[in-house]
Every structure is written in C-alpha cells, then in structure tokens.
Amino acid sequence: MIAEHVGTDLREQVKARIAAAAELREQAVRLRVTRRHRELLARHDRTVVSVAGTPRIAHVVPGIIPLKARRANLEQVTAALREAGVDYFGVRSASDTAAAVAVRAEDRERVLTALRQACRARPGYVVPVRGRQLQEDSALPGYGPGSWKRVAGADVVRCTWYLTDQTNRLVLGVRYGCDIEFWRQEDGELVSPRRNGIAEAVPVDEPAVEADESLFTDFTSLPAEREPVRVTTRPAFAAGAIGRRTFPIDVVYTWVDGSDPHWLQERAAFSDRPYHEEAANAARYLSRDELRYSLRSLHLYAPWVRNIYLVTADQTPEWLNTDHPRIKVVSHKEIFKDPAALPTFNSHAIESQLHHIDGLSEHFLYFNDDVMLGQEILPQHFFLPNGLGKFYLSPALIPYGEPSPDDPPVAAAGKNNRRLIAERFGDTIFRKMKHVPHALHRSVLDEIEAEFPEAHQRTATSRFRSADDVSVTSSLHHYYAFHTQRSIAGEDLVYRYCDLGNPGVERVLGRLLATREAHVFCLNDTTSTEAELSRQQALMTRFLDEYFPYPSPYERGADNR
C-alpha cells in the first residue's frame, strides 16, 4: 500500500511539472509577442499561436483543412502577382501539400516586392527553399524588412500564411505554403531552378492554359467528383502525365452500437456463447464515438475519397449527417445473400459481404471505426496509379499449427487463411496484417467468394466468431491479390497501434498528439474489464478532441461545409 501511494504521488508530481512547464512555455510565447505583433493582431480574425515554441501570427478560418490551406496560400500568392502585373504559371511541386508557381528570374524584384506587400497587408511568412525539408522554425516574418534580404538570392522561396481553426488547436503552416520558383531565360526557353518531374524548360512566349488542380497534387479528388479548381499553367503541365490516378476510391466502415437495447436483445436471443472470451469482451462492442473522430480524420487528411459507406445492423449514429451526398448508410439486409444468416454478430461474416454494396467502387478502403488518419495521406499509400493495391504486413505472426478452440479469433482465422492459400498457391503464410485501412479490390473479393465457396459461406453464416472463420478483408484478400498480381507489400506508411488497456497508453497518446508523425493510428482494446472502460473513455475523448477539434461535414449541425 505504501509503495502504491508513493507511486501515485510521483505520477501526480510528474503531471504537475509537465503542466507547469507548459504554462511557462505559453508565458514565454506571450512575452515574445512584440508591439508589431499586437498591431497586426488588431483584427478579430487573427491570433498568436505557438509553433515549435515560436509565436506565429495565424489567421482564424473556421473548419480549415489542409487542402483548403494549400489552396488559400496559392491564391494569396497568385493574387499578389496578378495585382503587380507579373506573369506566372503553375508547376508540379515535389510536395503534394505545398503548391508551386514559376515566374521569370528577371522579374525577381517585382515579385519580391509584391509578396512583401502581401505579407504586410495580411501577416505572412517567407522561407528560402534549398532542397531540404522545411521546418516550422525556419519561417521568417514576411511583414518585417529584414526577412526579405535573407531570401533575396534564393532560387525558390515559400510564402505561408498560418491558418488555424476556431479552437486554435489545429495549426497549418509552412507545410501548406506556396513555392515561388525563379525560372531563368536561356536560348528562347525558361529553365527551372529545380526538377519537377514534368518539364524543366518551356518556351518563353508559349501561351498560358488552364488545368485542373489534380494535375498538380494527388492530395485532391478527381475532377468529376467536385467543382473544378483551375490553375493557370503552361501546356506541358496541363497534359495528363502517366502515373496519375484516374479511378475513384471509396471508403467502407462497419459499425455497431453495442449499447442499443434492441441489438442486445437480439444478441441474447441467439444464445451468445462465443468460443473464445476475447470474442465476448464488452470492449469489442462498446461505441466510444470512434467513428465520429475517424470521419473527422478522413475529412482532414483524405480529401480524395469519393463516397463513404457505413454498414450497420439498421443502426445509424444520431449525430451522423445522412443528408451529406458522400454518406451512404447500408443495412446488412442489403448485402447478405442469405437472409437466414441475419442477424449476425460476427465481424468476419459482415466483412465477407462488403463487395455486395451497390455502387461501391472497384478500389476501396475498408476502415474499422477505431482507425484514424494522423496526417495527410495520399491515394498511392494504398493503390498505385495502375490500380495495384498495397497491404501492410505486421511483425506479429500467425501461430503455426491447426486451428484450436483455444485460439483467439484472429489466430484461428489466420490459420484458416493459411490453409486456403497453401491449397490454392502452394505457399505458406506466417504474418498478420497491420490494423490500418485495408486497400481492397471488389473484383478480388468476388473471386474469393467463388474460389473458396465453402469457407466463405461458413464464415458468412456464422452468427458469432467461430474457429472456422476466415478473415476476408484484413488478410485473405491481400494474400490472394498478391498471388494473382494485384497487390504488393507496402512500406511507406507510418503506423502506431495504441492498446487502451496498456498502463503506458497516456504517454503514447501524448507523443502522437505532439508530433502528429503517424499516417495512421489505431485505438484498440479487447481485454479491458467493464470497470476500466469509463476511465479509458475519458482519456480517449480528451485525446481525440485535441487531435480532431471541430466537427466534420459528416456530423449534423456542422458549419464547416
């Protein structure tokens, strides 16, 4: 008891010191706000935010998202150039979150003067780009005279107007700025100061054309899926280069409200005696509102998604904006071939039927609601431009041997997948998959249903998880697609798995929030007791409210459409 008491005191002291340090940092930021800052903050839509310990003037834009920040910075730069009468054209940048425009090197003084005036009128920042990844602390205040002397000779500079949301928790800075490239004239051509993958030289007097935004960044949806966003450019950059994605990508979620009395009554009516305690754990069916935050992450970090399908047992979250054109709620009754299989309480069974969704695209991502996007993510993290999918292998292994009643559901399903792959292709699989969005092909799922009819049917008709299940979407699809040349192993996704039942989870969540380094993270829990759930709910809600601080358009009453 004494040791436990001492341990608690130490934890409280650590928390107090962290809070005190945070307050000191905020005080330091406030003290460093100069009189010039205060003058520039006279307008109500500006504020000071701390970025990497440095005060930055930010413009408050309710509901701001990364794609809109990219567009806003591009528009700010091009508006300044147009007002100054400077010719420019859009070029493809190496960054999908930062835009880029080209100007003639001989117009340097006019360009820098125009940008300096724009940064004074609406406080912005400038930084020279010299082939390195830009850091937030390298940005110089563009509303001050000294900064422009430091970028005067740079071949490429980036202008950024810091943007923040109405809570000041989400700050979008240098990563979303606009690069200005100074192209020099040589023998009747304008020559780029850096490589861009499309054209390093264009004719001097070539007329400008208009092109869609999707030719300049993969971090946007296809033209047919939105209102056109046009960019002034040169013909080479308006040509559809090979390697662009030209197919739609949808997202599918499966969701259940495990606290719904009707659902609980149905579950009890079918004598719920799952073969393994993990399948019956209360945490498996608890709705912690993860779906709300997962949709927020999708809105922020994957604007290229077309439609979002929510597969449920005739349940709909009360907060979900079902009037949104991209949201489609799908009942189990619409996708199960065999009505006698319903109701079902087996996620493996539900997942085996996803390819029956009417209108679903050939290429789609399957999300569990406890999976979140942690930063900007691109279609090519999941699908190559030619349609090949990517899967992400876990270091965790499928136990060797035959399925056993003692196996947890995931292990039993993995063993059953192994048998099917070995019988069909002669290979033995050993590794599980990471708990990330799964890149799936609708046609591959059709083939699996036809190729393994008995195993597929057995899984689809099992009301509760069974030792005979296969895991179609999270494993079998990937191995089958790999063997039929339609998927490859991916390695370019930064992923974090957070078990809410682990004692050190607060530290893990704190690091995730501070760095936002993960493309994808999963908040999972299959082992906690019901007594522990309320504490974990409070912890997770605090974390998610900080990470995704305002509603997405997929929530009722959201004002950030």
Side-chain angles (χ1 to χ4, degrees), residues 37 60 77 168 218 271 336 390 448 459 492 529:
H37 278 102
V60 180
V77 166
N168 288 359
D218 293 320
S271 301
F336 271 77
K390 290 184 179 180
I448 287 174
T459 300
D492 52 349
T529 65

Side-chain angles (χ1 to χ4, degrees), residues 1-9 11:
M1 291 294 293
I2 293 175
E4 182 179 347
H5 180 70
V6 171
T8 302
D9 284 348
R11 285 195 295 272

